[in-house]
Amino acid sequence: MPETSTETANLAVVTHFIIDFLGTADLAAADATLAPDVQGITGLKPTGPIDGAEEYKATITGFVAAFPAESPVEIIDQFAAGDRVVTRFHSRQRHSGSYFGIEPTGRVILFDETHVARLRDGRIIENIVSATNLEFEMLMAPVLAPLILK
């Protein structure tokens, strides 16, 4: 079944969000793609959902400051269905800054993620992250495990 014009537009929004906002912390991309009341479910905020565009921007800005991109985000697979867009991508980030108190290691870490974004009126209102980021998870385990495993 061919994509609808809304699905095509949603694919473009999510691609911009992933490549430019998640990949480089471009705040203009966040403003262009996120609804003010967006909710994000991600391990980057282990204590609960990211609530709102401003918190999303602060979360990603902090992450990219500590783990800047080593190379551009590579979209592996992406499709739209109605108001949802599913995207799997790879990102290689260098741990060059302190994050949650873990000092930089200089390691380049592969992030292999799948995001399910739900959109309304051309903006992302929900983004649920599923990731196979074992190296990152093991690196961060000493500080994140107590926050998650209460």
Side-chain angles (χ1 to χ4, degrees):
M1 182 173 235
E3 291 173 1
T4 67
S5 61
T6 299
E7 289 170 340
T8 300
N10 287 348
L11 284 164
V13 168
V14 173
T15 298
H16 186 35
F17 166 76
I18 288 172
I19 290 174
D20 298 314
F21 177 54
L22 297 184
T24 67
D26 177 345
L27 297 181
D31 291 338
T33 60
L34 295 174
D37 60 342
V38 65
Q39 211 175 47
I41 311 298
T42 171
L44 297 182
K45 186 179 176 201
T47 57
I50 293 172
D51 285 313
E54 293 307 312
E55 186 175 30
Y56 222 131
K57 290 191 284 189
T59 299
I60 297 302
T61 299
F63 173 75
V64 172
F67 289 88
E70 187 72 9
S71 58
V73 171
E74 176 188 6
I75 293 181
I76 306 299
D77 193 16
Q78 186 178 53
F79 61 90
D83 66 348
R84 288 179 173 44
V85 174
V86 177
T87 307
R88 179 171 176 228
F89 67 89
H90 286 168
S91 178
R92 287 172 177 75
Q93 316 277 133
R94 183 175 298 278
H95 183 207
S96 60
S98 179
Y99 195 67
F100 279 93
I102 301 291
E103 292 304 314
T105 62
R107 298 175 70 98
V108 174
I109 296 175
L110 171 66
F111 291 82
D112 182 351
E113 300 191 357
T114 300
H115 289 227
V116 179
R118 189 165 50 95
L119 292 89
R120 179 183 64 228
D121 300 324
R123 300 289 178 110
I124 298 168
I125 60 170
E126 179 182 63
N127 187 45
I128 300 172
V129 179
S130 177
T132 307
N133 298 331
L134 297 177
E135 187 175 4
F136 175 74
E137 291 165 8
M138 294 301 103
L139 175 68
M140 301 306 297
V143 293
L144 294 184
L147 296 172
I148 297 166
L149 304 173
K150 296 177 188 176

